[in-house]
Amino acid sequence: MGQLNAGVVPVTAFQQNCTILFDMDDRQGVVVDPGGDIEKVLAVLKDNAINAGAIWITHGHIDHAGGAMELKEALAVEIIGPHEADRPLLANLEKQAKHYGITDPVRNCVPDRFLSEGDTVSFGQHAFEVFHCPGHAPGHVVYYNRAAKFAHVGDVLFRGSVGRTDLPGGDHAALIASIKDKLLPLGDDIGFICGHGPGGRFGEERRSNPFLI
């Protein structure tokens, strides 16, 4: 098993961190949260000789799932995640696009498999535990690789901040509980990539994030 690596491709006007997780040796991987600009994502895969075998979704907001169906067709792979509680959001991506004035083509997303707390997803020998972390969105999930001490947290946690909870289905108390009860106990040394902006480590967020103190 080669080293787990990650590349971030900022996409759309939301500058969402579409993330490519892959094995450094065999170049097998997955695409997490293809929110749009799919030609850009495909170019990065090609330029780096990465074979993406699946699409993983953290939650059903347009900036994270808006390009999922287009990428699914381009790669002929399955869409996995998020939790089924986000089915209504995924079924209304086209309405979300109109709400935000997005003119680029967006299609409602139908995952091939929803995920639940305690599930495991993997590519090659890299296994990720699934945590259901509602608050920002009802069906938000986090992908955690124990061996690499790494988590993709989507829009649950940011460096110095947390996910917004003023959107439909948002719940601030649930979001903070997700972070404090499920993520921070994994350890201060866990590194994370988030949905927007730079990532960090759980320990720094536990010590200095104003929403968690």
Side-chain angles (χ1 to χ4, degrees):
M1 178 174 65
Q3 178 183 346
L4 175 67
N5 205 346
V8 171
V9 185
V11 296
T12 76
F14 294 103
Q15 288 295 285
Q16 191 275 128
N17 291 334
C18 176
T19 304
I20 300 170
L21 303 174
F22 64 100
D23 184 284
M24 285 291 289
D25 287 351
D26 66 16
R27 315 303 285 182
Q28 301 298 308
V30 296
V31 177
V32 183
D33 287 355
D37 293 339
I38 297 308
E39 291 302 323
K40 183 178 180 181
V41 177
L42 290 170
V44 171
L45 292 172
K46 181 180 180 181
D47 291 347
N48 292 276
I50 297 170
N51 179 29
I55 297 165
W56 295 354
I57 305 294
T58 61
H59 65 292
H61 290 155
I62 190 169
D63 52 331
H64 292 257
M69 294 299 284
E70 182 182 350
L71 186 62
K72 170 188 171 72
E73 291 183 352
L75 297 176
V77 299
E78 291 189 338
I79 298 173
I80 299 173
H83 187 279
E84 192 166 8
D86 267 10
R87 183 192 292 270
L89 288 174
L90 294 168
N92 285 280
L93 289 175
E94 294 168 14
K95 290 184 178 179
Q96 290 186 47
K98 291 180 181 178
H99 174 76
Y100 287 106
I102 296 171
T103 57
D104 293 337
V106 171
R107 290 160 54 194
N108 296 335
C109 179
V110 182
D112 296 279
R113 174 189 169 195
F114 284 105
L115 297 171
S116 299
E117 178 83 15
D119 283 349
T120 300
V121 292
S122 62
F123 61 90
Q125 298 183 57
H126 299 285
F128 289 73
E129 300 169 40
V130 175
F131 293 89
H132 179 209
C133 294
H136 175 68
H140 201 303
V141 296
V142 165
Y143 299 99
Y144 171 56
N145 185 285
R146 191 172 295 271
K149 296 184 177 181
F150 164 77
H152 194 299
V153 300
D155 284 0
V156 172
L157 177 67
F158 299 109
R159 183 185 291 186
S161 188
V162 297
R164 59 186 296 185
T165 55
D166 59 337
L167 298 171
D171 184 325
H172 185 75
L175 179 71
I176 299 303
S178 292
I179 297 169
K180 290 187 173 182
D181 297 344
K182 296 184 179 182
L183 300 187
L184 297 187
L186 295 174
D188 284 357
D189 57 346
I190 305 303
F192 67 88
I193 287 176
C194 47
H196 305 265
R201 293 194 179 276
F202 285 174
E204 182 61 29
E205 299 313 310
R206 181 182 60 79
R207 290 186 291 268
S208 64
N209 191 312
F211 294 91
L212 304 177
I213 297 173

